Each structure stands twice: as structure tokens, then as C-alpha cells.
Amino acid sequence: MKKLILTIAFIAVAQFAFAQEDAAFKAEVMKVIEKSGSAGQMNSAKKQFLATIPKDKHAAFTLEFEAIMPKIYEGIAKIYMEEYTKDDIKAMLAFYESPVGKKMSLKSEIIAEKSQESMMELQGEIQALLMKYM
């Protein structure tokens, strides 16, 4: 009986320690996501969406869009936690806290917008290429 209680206690302590470690890792991942400029990229996407919505509905759309953002970041965090190690995340944080990393974060929205414009210009060529091989 003592062994059973000891085993259960050990498992409970291990689970608790793992959960705390996991929460700390997730917090670090969320910092990387924030510092990487994801918000700027999402703002760029939001602007694109708003262009297709009547102006009188912009405020309501923005409210609902902003409510979805935490879910998006949670999903991204889960993927990062699956694909990157804790050391990877620490290295990313160090980069995003550097001058170049900060500049990347600040420029993320502009880069996303210009990239979208560039892709729009190439869309005709890409469609022609697809049609050639279909």
C-alpha cells in the first residue's frame, strides 16, 4: 500500500513539475511570437480583409477579428513548442531582442504588405504556369 501511495505521489509531483516547465516554455514561445512581428503581419492581413468589407462594418469586423487573435497565437505557440527546442526558443528571443531582430519586428507589417503586392503581380504568371500543367 505504501508503494502505491508513493508511486501516485511521485507521478503527481512529476506531472506538476512538467506542467510548470511547460507553462514557462509556452511563455517563452509567446514572447518569440510577439517579438517576431506576428502582430504586424496580422494587421496587414486585417487591412486586406477590411478592403473587401463595407466601411460601415469595419468596426464590428475588427472587434471580432481581434477576439480571434489569442486563438491564433495559441495555435502558433503549440506548433512552435512541437517544432522547436527550448534552446531554439532562447536563441530566437536573443535574436529578436537584438537591434536587427527589433528592426525585423518593426518592419514586419510593411514587409508583409509589400510581399502581398509582389505576389499579386506574379499571380497571373503563376496561374498561367498552373494551367500549362493541368
Side-chain angles (χ1 to χ4, degrees):
M1 183 70 165
K2 284 183 182 180
K3 285 183 182 180
L4 178 63
I5 292 173
L6 219 62
T7 302
I8 291 172
F10 178 74
I11 291 171
V13 168
Q15 292 265 345
F16 180 71
F18 181 73
Q20 283 185 325
E21 184 178 308
D22 199 43
F25 182 42
K26 185 176 181 181
E28 294 284 297
V29 168
M30 293 302 272
K31 281 184 194 175
V32 167
I33 293 167
E34 174 196 340
K35 291 180 181 283
S36 71
S38 290
Q41 294 166 3
M42 293 307 295
N43 280 335
S44 175
K46 181 172 69 174
K47 285 179 185 176
Q48 262 193 318
F49 299 144
L50 285 171
T52 65
I53 296 171
K55 287 195 185 281
D56 63 324
K57 296 181 180 178
H58 281 200
F61 171 81
T62 299
L63 258 172
E64 289 188 50
F65 186 84
E66 295 298 324
I68 294 170
M69 294 309 302
K71 292 178 190 175
I72 292 171
Y73 292 136
E74 286 287 325
I76 294 169
K78 183 179 178 196
I79 294 166
Y80 273 45
M81 291 171 73
E82 291 171 356
E83 298 297 325
Y84 297 114
T85 66
K86 292 174 186 173
D87 288 339
D88 292 337
I89 296 298
K90 287 185 188 306
M92 287 180 207
L93 270 176
F95 170 74
Y96 285 121
E97 290 171 351
S98 74
V100 173
K102 289 177 183 177
K103 185 175 183 177
M104 270 185 72
S105 180
L106 288 173
K107 299 281 185 178
S108 67
E109 186 172 350
I110 294 166
I111 298 295
E113 288 173 2
K114 288 183 177 183
S115 295
Q116 289 166 354
E117 290 170 10
S118 176
M119 287 304 293
M120 295 284 275
E121 292 171 8
L122 294 173
Q123 191 171 7
E125 281 185 58
I126 293 169
Q127 283 181 331
L129 180 64
L130 284 171
M131 294 304 291
K132 178 180 173 181
Y133 290 96
M134 290 180 102

